[in-house]
Amino acid sequence: MTKKREQILGTALELFANEGYQNTSTSKIACQAGVSEGLIFKHFQSKEGLLHAIVNLANDDIRDFIKRIENQDDPKKVIETAFDFPPLVSSNRDFWKLQFSLKYQCPAKQQYHEKKELINTFETMLEKAFRELDYDNPEMETELLMNIIGDLCRKHCNTDNGCDQEYINFVKQKYEV
Amino acid sequence: MTKKREQILGTALELFANEGYQNTSTSKIACQAGVSEGLIFKHFQSKEGLLHAIVNLANDDIRDFIKRIENQDDPKKVIETAFDFPPLVSSNRDFWKLQFSLKYQCPAKQQYHEKKELINTFETMLEKAFRELDYDNPEMETELLMNIIGDLCRKHCNTDNGCDQEYINFVKQKYEV
DNA sequence: TATAAAAGTAAGTAATCACTCACCAAGGTA
DNA sequence: TACCTTGGTGAGTGATTACTTACTTTTATA
């Protein structure tokens, strides 16, 4: 990967995340990245192709996390590991900001948010854990915890100085982890 | 209010909510509303003025709801009333879709999402209720329930055939309401 | 060293954008 | 009737958009 290609990807991620995909013109990306506008289209064919490339880049992080949660046997540990996900969001904040903004865009752009592999694995593991721990309604418990984790991720995206540890501990306590 | 003005407001809300503010051009609104493009600017001065007018329109619904929650004395009833909010979202789905999409836009447009009056009243009432019910940590309980209600609202926005009643009942049970 | 592919640029393109302007029509009031 | 405000139109405006084209430079390799 050439340096200018990396420059384009980095600048575009930053602008897409913080000013919105629609609000970011290819000329602005080129200008801020210090490259000619034509180069963007040489590398990524279209503005949407650039978005696609950016979204695919962060998939490795996600696959690593899935492996970590899959390797847990102890159901309590599974639930505990779930709470490690929001901090992961912090470490790649612009990417997740972009993800959440795409989720609430028009249907045409929502495809780029579909981290279904991650979400499905997450849900399956949690439901199994709740079942092994003899919770009354493992399905609904999973839906609730997915919501809670999702909100934590959203918060991590938008707060600069890390996370609200008191709140995290409070929720963890509810699950005795 | 004239008929054509209403047409503009209705069409713009529908398009802003379902295709995004940035993706909706004033010419498209005019075309679909069956009016001339110039009329939009006669009535609302700018595209952003139109957005502003739309966002202000739904404030009455919100104020009604605030009054309802404020008039509750019984703390259990306060928590129960909180669960009435997501169905309210269903009754004006396009407006709330727009609200959530604006929340994840660039900072320039986020001002139109600030339903702070609603959120603050909500939070204050819930915290008071949790305190009266002798919960260990009323602040954190409030944050958690606000998250749960927020997620329910998001779900109500995006599902066509009403709400996931089983999940709502499951959560209500946790609060014994 | 010759050469071809890849990296990169500057100056375009047509289309679309939000917005304006000159003008018309209807309705209320003096 | 005269006149003025308000509602409404259609054909513009310049700026910006995503994208292209013709061209040059760098890099890899046979």
Side-chain angles (χ1 to χ4, degrees), chain A:
Chain A
M1 181 132 69
T2 62
K3 207 166 186 179
K4 298 216 166 184
R5 196 176 196 271
E6 277 184 84
Q7 268 295 316
I8 293 170
L9 284 167
T11 307
L13 171 57
E14 190 195 319
L15 289 171
F16 287 168
N18 295 297
E19 306 188 17
Y21 174 77
Q22 294 290 339
N23 280 313
T24 305
S25 66
T26 50
S27 73
K28 194 174 183 181
I29 296 167
C31 184
Q32 195 162 315
V35 304
S36 66
E37 199 178 347
L39 190 58
I40 293 175
F41 295 91
K42 265 273 162 67
H43 279 307
F44 307 102
Q45 288 76 54
S46 66
K47 190 186 172 187
E48 201 161 336
L50 173 57
L51 175 64
H52 195 78
I54 288 173
V55 167
N56 277 349
L57 260 186
N59 277 343
D60 294 341
D61 284 356
I62 293 170
R63 295 232 169 76
D64 284 350
F65 185 80
I66 289 180
K67 268 180 196 150
R68 236 171 71 210
I69 206 173
E70 276 181 335
N71 288 338
Q72 294 288 356
D73 284 331
D74 179 12
K76 283 248 171 187
K77 282 271 177 191
V78 171
I79 292 172
E80 208 178 340
T81 311
F83 287 93
D84 291 343
F85 192 67
L88 189 81
V89 166
S90 282
S91 72
N92 201 354
R93 190 178 292 145
D94 278 343
F95 170 72
W96 288 98
K97 253 186 181 172
L98 174 59
Q99 287 287 311
F100 283 117
S101 81
L102 290 174
K103 190 175 177 179
Y104 295 98
Q105 293 268 338
C106 61
K109 293 286 171 297
Q110 281 181 17
Q111 50 173 315
Y112 298 110
H113 174 263
E114 301 196 349
K115 297 274 154 271
K116 290 216 168 130
E117 192 188 348
L118 171 68
I119 290 168
N120 287 342
T121 311
F122 229 139
E123 274 182 344
T124 308
M125 297 303 293
L126 284 179
E127 204 176 313
K128 191 177 152 225
F130 280 126
R131 190 160 283 123
E132 286 172 7
L133 290 168
D134 281 325
Y135 274 68
D136 278 346
N137 197 334
E139 258 183 67
M140 295 292 108
E141 291 286 353
T142 302
E143 192 168 343
L144 177 58
L145 185 51
M146 290 292 286
N147 279 351
I148 291 171
I149 299 288
D151 266 314
L152 279 170
C153 291
R154 260 185 282 268
K155 280 177 181 159
H156 273 73
C157 274
N158 296 314
T159 53
D160 285 332
N161 47 349
C163 47
D164 184 355
Q165 199 57 49
E166 191 190 349
Y167 178 66
I168 294 179
N169 290 338
F170 169 78
V171 179
K172 274 187 168 181
Q173 227 175 353
K174 297 236 170 202
Y175 295 97
E176 294 164 13
V177 294

Side-chain angles (χ1 to χ4, degrees), chain B residues 90-148:
Chain B
S90 282
S91 71
N92 201 353
R93 190 178 292 145
D94 277 345
F95 170 72
W96 288 99
K97 253 186 181 170
L98 175 59
Q99 287 287 311
F100 283 117
S101 81
L102 290 174
K103 190 174 178 181
Y104 296 97
Q105 291 269 336
C106 60
K109 294 285 171 297
Q110 281 181 19
Q111 50 173 314
Y112 298 111
H113 173 262
E114 300 197 349
K115 298 272 152 271
K116 290 216 168 130
E117 192 188 346
L118 171 68
I119 291 168
N120 288 342
T121 311
F122 228 139
E123 274 183 344
T124 309
M125 296 304 292
L126 283 179
E127 204 176 314
K128 190 176 153 227
F130 281 126
R131 190 161 283 121
E132 286 171 7
L133 290 168
D134 281 324
Y135 273 68
D136 278 345
N137 197 334
E139 258 182 66
M140 295 291 108
E141 290 287 355
T142 302
E143 193 170 341
L144 177 58
L145 185 50
M146 289 293 286
N147 280 350
I148 292 171

Side-chain angles (χ1 to χ4, degrees), chain B residues 12-29:
Chain B
L13 172 58
E14 189 196 320
L15 288 171
F16 286 168
N18 295 297
E19 306 189 15
Y21 174 77
Q22 294 289 340
N23 279 313
T24 304
S25 66
T26 49
S27 73
K28 193 174 182 180
I29 296 167

